[in-house]
Amino acid sequence: MSTNRRQFLSSAVGGLVTAGAASGTRRAWAQGAAPKIQPGKIKPGGRDVLLVVDVQNDFIPGGALAVKEGDVIVPLVNQIAAGFEHVIMTQDWHTPGHISFASSHPGKKPFETTKLAYGTQVLWPDHCVQGTPGADFHKDLKIPHAELVIRKGYRKQMDSYSAFYEADGKATTGLAGYVRDRGFRQVFLVGLATDFCVCWSALDARKVGLGALVIEDACRGIDTNGSLAKAWDQMTKAGVKRIRSADLSA
Ligand SMILES: [Zn+2]
C-alpha cells in the first residue's frame, strides 16, 4: 500500500471525529434505548433490518479495490441474513468516468487525493462501474428475501461511503426515508469495509435516530495505520454497538 493511501485513510478516519461528535448524533442516541447485549440473546424482530454493505466483486480479492478476506464473510452473511425478516443490500454504483476514479483526473494515480467542492477525495482505481461484473454482488451471496437494494455513488460528481448520505453529508440516497416509512428502529450492519462504508453507514444510522449494531465477524476492514481501531472508537462514541454473530439467537 502506498504512503499516499495510508495518509489518506488515516486522515479520512480522523475526519469521522467531527461526524461522531455532532450534537445531532448525541440527541438521537439519547432518544433511543441502548440495546442490552447478552450472548446469544439478540433476536431480530419486525422493526430490525439487516444492512448488507457492498459485498461486490470489486471489493473481493481479485477485484479492482479488494478488501483482504472480503470473500470469507459471505457464508456467514448468508447465515445471518436468514435470521432476519428484513434485509437491505447496498451496492456501490458508479458512472463511467466517476469523479472518485483516478482515471478521471489527468496526472493522478490511484490512492492519491484531490480537493473537490465537498472536501478531500481519495482517487480510487475504477471500480463498481454500473452494469459491469465488478459491480455485481459476489456470486455466493444468497439473500433472496432482501427487500431493497440501495445504490450509492451514482452521482457522477460525488462519492458516497455511507448508505444514507453521500460525501457532502447532504445528498441523500433515500434510505433514511425508506427506513422511516417502513417503521424500522434498529439496523444491524455486515459487509465491507468495516472502517469505511460500514462505519460511515453506522454513524449515519445513529444520526437519523436509529439503533445501530455492527456484527464485527461478518465484516472485514482495510485496517491501515490504525484506521480500524479509530473507526471503532468513533462508532462506540456515537452509540454504535459492537457485537458478534454469536450474540444473535439461533
Ligand atoms: Zn466507490
Side-chain angles (χ1 to χ4, degrees):
M1 182 171 292
S2 73
T3 300
N4 282 335
R5 188 182 187 192
R6 281 196 298 273
Q7 286 171 345
F8 167 74
L9 293 171
S10 176
S11 64
V13 171
L16 294 176
V17 172
T18 307
S23 60
T25 304
R26 283 201 301 273
R27 271 199 304 277
W29 177 236
Q31 289 163 0
K36 188 83 177 167
I37 298 171
Q38 294 175 310
K41 297 290 194 222
I42 301 174
K43 186 165 179 56
R47 286 178 173 263
D48 296 322
V49 62
L50 180 69
L51 190 65
V52 179
V53 178
D54 294 4
V55 185
Q56 293 167 260
N57 290 328
D58 272 343
F59 296 127
I60 299 288
L65 188 43
V67 178
K68 190 181 173 194
E69 296 186 350
D71 51 339
V72 170
I73 64 169
V74 173
L76 182 59
V77 169
N78 289 339
Q79 186 188 324
I80 291 168
F84 277 78
E85 182 181 350
H86 306 295
V87 181
I88 296 170
M89 304 202 290
T90 73
Q91 200 170 20
D92 212 28
W93 197 250
H94 297 309
T95 58
H98 191 260
I99 199 163
S100 73
F101 298 166
S103 61
S104 303
H105 302 264
K108 290 284 192 180
K109 297 193 189 74
F111 310 114
E112 292 181 352
T113 61
T114 192
K115 296 277 185 197
L116 297 177
Y118 56 80
T120 301
Q121 171 72 49
V122 68
L123 298 172
W124 304 107
D126 290 23
H127 67 279
C128 297
V129 174
Q130 297 167 2
T132 65
D136 287 345
F137 292 117
H138 187 275
K139 64 178 173 45
D140 295 332
L141 191 69
K142 304 285 187 213
I143 312 178
H145 66 296
E147 295 166 346
L148 176 72
V149 174
I150 193 91
R151 289 172 167 167
K152 60 188 180 64
Y154 49 74
R155 292 177 173 98
K156 191 172 183 179
Q157 302 300 324
M158 199 185 305
D159 203 3
S160 183
Y161 294 146
S162 166
F164 291 90
Y165 295 101
E166 303 216 336
D168 65 349
K170 293 175 187 158
T172 179
T173 63
L175 183 57
Y178 177 86
V179 165
R180 190 166 49 240
D181 285 354
R182 295 292 311 278
F184 297 136
R185 301 293 300 277
Q186 196 164 243
V187 59
F188 292 68
L189 297 101
V190 298
L192 306 170
T194 319
D195 34 354
F196 291 90
C197 292
V198 172
C199 174
W200 289 50
S201 298
L203 292 175
D204 277 349
R206 298 293 308 124
K207 205 169 162 184
V208 301
L210 296 165
L213 301 88
V214 173
I215 307 172
E216 67 169 326
D217 52 328
C219 301
R220 284 296 182 277
I222 294 169
D223 194 15
T224 179
N225 202 19
S227 65
L228 191 58
K230 287 177 188 169
W232 279 119
D233 186 49
Q234 293 313 309
M235 287 194 281
T236 302
K237 283 178 177 157
V240 176
K241 294 294 175 184
R242 177 178 187 169
I243 67 169
R244 297 187 63 80
S245 56
D247 296 323
L248 299 169
S249 65

